[in-house]
């Protein structure tokens, strides 16, 4: 049910509290929400500062996905709360996944927060601040949130968020990324029910945008100088299934590829299911799609994957990887794995280790399993000791470092297109750039010797002259 809780009356006048500083934590999907918040706030007449010390209102857009991210969010809230004592901050607002998931607990444990705003209500922040919307009495705190239909771990299918705010070119938004790349959220929520994942509980079921809306966003971005569009969702391959009219990722990519201009399209977070021959063909033949796939696999052992409720049998995953490598030999595949999942035996981990060694992924992220409340896996027997998780984590990461170095060394001497990112602070006289096989913020970078005429946001051809485990040097 959707509930408006009590709240201290917060009213910003023309004389006070017009400058806002917004700190967004977590994934790019959360960042898009933050950019939309900024857009709605701008419409309400607020201005912004990147420095919280200068702000009348500080908003922390939290992440609540795993234990580390929850801890980071709470620490950031407490850090910003100190500004109410030492700086000009008058109001502290918490938004995002942590607020959506733990609003009642936060209300009790963090009196420093003046307003709690859920995922389906962030477009109201400006009105909340201006008018004290939801006020029910002096001395109370504003609590605007939505709670899931059910909190029963065995009934995750009923978890939903009644209101989901999708980006659209007609809605306000302020990009916070560098001007040459942006994130394009094509859907919200997720209809999968992986046993370890809390996302459907927090963000609700799948809700897809219309293709025309996404095409217009890319066209408008091109007009503003954006050169790389990173498509994001909980699962790109699931896109369109809720619309029940034949809309799918293959059709979307074909439409985007028809847009004229010099730009990249990068697909991020592609679940192994729904990897049709048509989708592989689009990835192979597109003039705009980079030859890069981010496919979180989580494991390869059949028993573990069944317990995770991944929906993709191990043999199917191997078939998809083989199909991609055969169709697109140069493709870079990023993936993520979970180690220390409940009941994972040493033999099952060794199978995962050998799988990573065999397939030689370009990029691998490894997570230690974190038991999350309201997920099926949290109640499973055979929880792995933290020290064992650490040992498996380091073994797998060490293996991947060697693989990454080998793959990067194969690029030495090759000339490849790159997108110039910024002037390097770590390497004077160089610019930082990214190849098509390097996604922003999660993969390595390519240092390029600066020369006259090079401009941030431009494409250029780079000859690779040096390789390390994650980064490259070119000229």
């Amino acid at each position: 049910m959707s509930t408006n809780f009590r709240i201290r009356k917060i009213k910003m006048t023309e004389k006070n509290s017009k400058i806002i500083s917004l700190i967004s934590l977590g994934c790019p999907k959360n960042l898009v929400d933050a950019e939309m918040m900024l857009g709605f706030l701008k419409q309400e007449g607020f201005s912004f500062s990147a420095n919280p010390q200068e702000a009348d209102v500080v908003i922390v857009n939290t992440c609540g996905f795993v234990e580390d991210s929850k801890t980071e969010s709470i620490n950031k809230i407490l850090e910003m709360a100190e500004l109410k004592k030492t700086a000009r901050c008058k109001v502290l607002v918490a938004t995002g996944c942590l607020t959506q998931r733990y609003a009642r607990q936060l209300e009790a444990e963090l009196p420093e927060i003046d307003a709690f705003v859920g995922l389906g209500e962030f477009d109201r922040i400006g009105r909340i601040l201006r008018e004290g919307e939801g006020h029910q009495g002096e001395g109370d705190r504003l609590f605007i949130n939505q709670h899931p239909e059910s909190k029963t771990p065995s009934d995750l299918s009923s978890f939903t968020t009644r209101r989901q705010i999708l980006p659209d070119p007609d809605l306000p938004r302020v990009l916070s990324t560098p001007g040459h790349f942006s994130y394009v959220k094509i859907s919200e929520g997720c209809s999968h029910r992986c046993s370890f994942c809390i996302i459907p509980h927090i963000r609700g079921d799948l809700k897809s945008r219309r293709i025309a809306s996404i095409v217009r966003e890319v066209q408008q971005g091109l007009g503003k100088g954006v050169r790389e569009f990173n498509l994001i969702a909980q699962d790109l391959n699931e896109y369109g299934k809720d619309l029940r009219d034949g809309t799918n990722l293959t059709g979307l990519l074909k439409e985007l590829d028809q847009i004229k201009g010099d730009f990249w399209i990068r697909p991020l977070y592609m679940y192994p299911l729904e990897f049709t021959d048509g989708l592989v063909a689009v990835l192979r033949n597109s003039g705009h799609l980079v030859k890069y796939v981010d496919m979180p696999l989580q494991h390869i052992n059949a028993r573990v994957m069944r317990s995770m409720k991944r929906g993709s049998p191990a043999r199917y995953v191997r078939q998809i990887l083989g199909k991609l490598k055969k169709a697109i030999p140069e493709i870079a595949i990023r993936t993520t794995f979970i180690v220390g999942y409940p009941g994972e035996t040493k033999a099952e981990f060794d199978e995962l280790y050998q799988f990573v060694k065999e397939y030689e992924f370009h990029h691998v992220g490894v997570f230690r399993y974190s038991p999350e409340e309201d997920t099926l896996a949290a109640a499973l027997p055979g929880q792995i000791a933290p020290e064992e998780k650490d040992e498996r984590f380091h073994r797998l990461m060490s293996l991947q470092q060697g693989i990454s170095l080998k793959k990067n060394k194969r690029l030495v001497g090759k000339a490849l297109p790159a997108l110039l990112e910024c002037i390097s602070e770590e390497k004077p006289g160089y610019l930082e750039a990214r190849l098509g096989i390097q996604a922003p913020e999660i993969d390595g970078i390519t240092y390029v010797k600066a020369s006259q005429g090079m401009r941030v946001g431009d494409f250029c051809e780079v000859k690779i002259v040096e390789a390390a485990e994650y980064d490259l040097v070119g000229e």
Side-chain angles (χ1 to χ4, degrees):
M1 55 190 155
S2 179
T3 308
N4 290 354
F5 288 85
R6 296 167 303 164
I7 213 175
R8 179 184 305 121
K9 188 167 186 179
I10 301 169
K11 188 170 183 179
M12 306 298 126
T13 69
E14 290 299 318
K15 295 181 180 179
N16 69 4
S17 304
K18 288 198 67 175
I19 301 176
I20 288 181
S21 184
L22 191 155
I23 300 162
S24 190
L25 306 173
C27 67
K29 296 177 285 293
N30 212 34
L31 181 64
V32 171
D33 290 349
E35 292 174 340
M36 294 179 69
M37 287 182 218
L38 292 174
F40 288 115
L41 287 163
K42 186 177 180 180
Q43 277 192 338
E44 292 289 332
F46 290 94
S47 56
F48 310 114
S49 173
N51 182 0
Q53 296 274 353
E54 301 173 350
D56 304 298
V57 180
V58 176
I59 301 172
V60 181
N61 190 35
T62 62
C63 179
F65 183 45
V66 294
E67 195 62 37
D68 287 347
S69 61
K70 288 185 283 187
T71 300
E72 180 188 17
S73 294
I74 291 171
N75 288 341
K76 182 59 68 175
I77 288 170
L78 293 174
E79 179 188 343
M80 293 300 103
E82 289 298 308
L83 298 181
K84 295 170 75 173
K85 305 173 185 176
T86 62
R88 61 186 287 173
C89 177
K90 302 176 183 67
V91 177
L92 177 60
V93 180
T95 67
C97 290
L98 190 73
T99 302
Q100 181 71 27
R101 186 177 178 188
Y102 293 112
R104 291 182 183 275
Q105 294 95 315
L106 293 174
E107 182 189 28
E109 297 175 10
L110 291 174
E112 297 87 350
I113 300 175
D114 297 294
F116 305 83
V117 182
L119 293 171
E121 306 290 346
F122 64 71
D123 56 337
R124 297 169 59 190
I125 290 180
R127 297 196 301 277
I128 289 167
L129 295 175
R130 287 285 185 213
E131 304 165 13
E133 182 178 328
H135 171 59
Q136 295 184 15
E138 290 295 340
D140 293 331
R141 285 187 293 163
L142 183 59
F143 203 131
I144 306 294
N145 209 338
Q146 297 177 346
H147 288 279
E149 300 275 332
S150 168
K151 293 186 178 181
T152 307
S154 62
D155 190 22
L156 282 173
S157 62
S158 68
F159 287 152
T160 182
T161 300
R162 287 184 178 275
R163 185 168 183 255
Q164 294 163 297
I165 306 173
L166 286 171
D168 186 83
D170 293 331
L171 293 178
R173 182 174 167 189
V174 176
L175 290 184
S176 60
T177 52
H180 53 275
F181 82 84
S182 71
Y183 292 104
V184 180
K185 186 193 285 192
I186 68 171
S187 66
E188 178 61 281
C190 184
S191 296
H192 298 303
R193 292 297 182 264
C194 299
S195 67
F196 55 85
C197 184
I198 198 66
I199 290 299
H201 176 34
I202 297 175
R203 289 190 172 266
D205 285 328
L206 174 70
K207 183 178 181 180
S208 302
R209 294 172 62 183
R210 294 289 177 180
I211 287 179
S213 169
I214 300 167
V215 168
R216 279 205 299 138
E217 180 176 335
V218 171
Q219 290 171 330
Q220 290 182 9
L222 274 173
K224 297 175 182 177
V226 178
R227 292 295 172 261
E228 179 183 26
F229 299 91
N230 297 273
L231 306 185
I232 57 173
Q234 297 301 331
D235 172 16
L236 290 184
N237 291 19
E238 191 183 28
Y239 168 75
K241 292 180 71 174
D242 59 309
L243 300 177
R244 303 183 185 279
D245 62 359
T247 299
N248 58 30
L249 181 62
T250 301
L252 170 64
L253 295 179
K254 286 181 178 178
E255 288 289 329
L256 294 177
D257 201 42
Q258 297 301 311
I259 299 174
K260 304 296 183 183
D262 189 15
F263 64 96
W264 282 348
I265 300 171
R266 183 184 303 279
L268 296 172
Y269 323 127
M270 302 179 78
Y271 203 86
L273 286 175
E274 309 294 339
F275 234 115
T276 64
D277 290 343
L279 180 54
V280 173
V282 171
L283 293 172
R284 180 187 65 228
N285 300 327
S286 168
H288 293 301
L289 277 159
V290 293
K291 301 302 183 277
Y292 177 104
V293 165
D294 186 334
M295 188 191 304
L297 298 176
Q298 312 307 1
H299 217 281
I300 196 59
N301 174 264
R303 187 204 66 80
V304 173
M305 293 181 75
R306 284 195 302 273
S307 179
M308 287 181 169
K309 300 190 179 297
R310 288 296 287 166
S312 304
R315 64 181 182 278
Y316 173 78
V317 170
R318 292 177 183 272
Q319 288 172 1
I320 293 300
L321 292 173
K323 185 184 297 185
L324 281 168
K325 289 193 173 186
K326 182 178 180 180
I328 316 168
E330 72 277 24
I331 195 166
I333 299 178
R334 156 175 275 280
T335 190
T336 54
F337 296 109
I338 294 173
V339 297
Y341 180 82
E344 181 192 53
T345 66
K346 291 185 178 180
E348 289 167 342
F349 171 76
D350 287 341
E351 182 180 346
L352 173 60
Y353 184 93
Q354 291 302 320
F355 174 69
V356 173
K357 186 175 182 179
E358 174 188 356
Y359 274 84
E360 294 191 336
F361 298 97
H362 277 75
H363 312 285
V364 170
V366 181
F367 294 91
R368 304 167 181 87
Y369 170 74
S370 171
E372 294 300 313
E373 296 170 286
D374 298 324
T375 62
L376 296 173
L380 290 176
Q383 299 287 329
I384 307 297
E387 54 271 20
E388 183 64 26
K389 294 179 188 177
D390 288 343
E391 193 274 335
R392 295 177 187 183
F393 170 86
H394 291 297
R395 276 191 65 196
L396 204 55
M397 286 303 298
S398 178
L399 171 65
Q400 181 58 34
Q401 281 184 334
I403 293 170
S404 297
L405 178 60
K406 181 168 68 172
K407 282 191 165 291
N408 280 348
K409 283 184 174 179
R410 291 174 183 166
L411 299 176
V412 173
K414 293 186 177 181
L416 301 166
L419 180 61
L420 298 175
E421 287 271 82
C422 62
I423 297 171
S424 177
E425 296 181 0
E426 295 183 7
K427 203 172 177 65
Y430 283 77
L431 274 70
E432 294 181 8
R434 285 185 293 105
L435 306 179
I437 63 172
Q438 295 171 319
E441 301 174 334
I442 55 174
D443 297 328
I445 58 175
T446 299
Y447 295 99
V448 184
K449 185 71 173 177
S451 62
Q452 192 170 4
M454 296 175 68
R455 297 185 306 173
V456 169
D458 284 351
F459 288 111
C460 68
E461 191 172 81
V462 174
K463 182 180 179 181
I464 307 301
V465 297
E466 188 179 330
E469 286 90 346
Y470 301 115
D471 299 331
L472 299 161
V473 178
E475 60 186 23

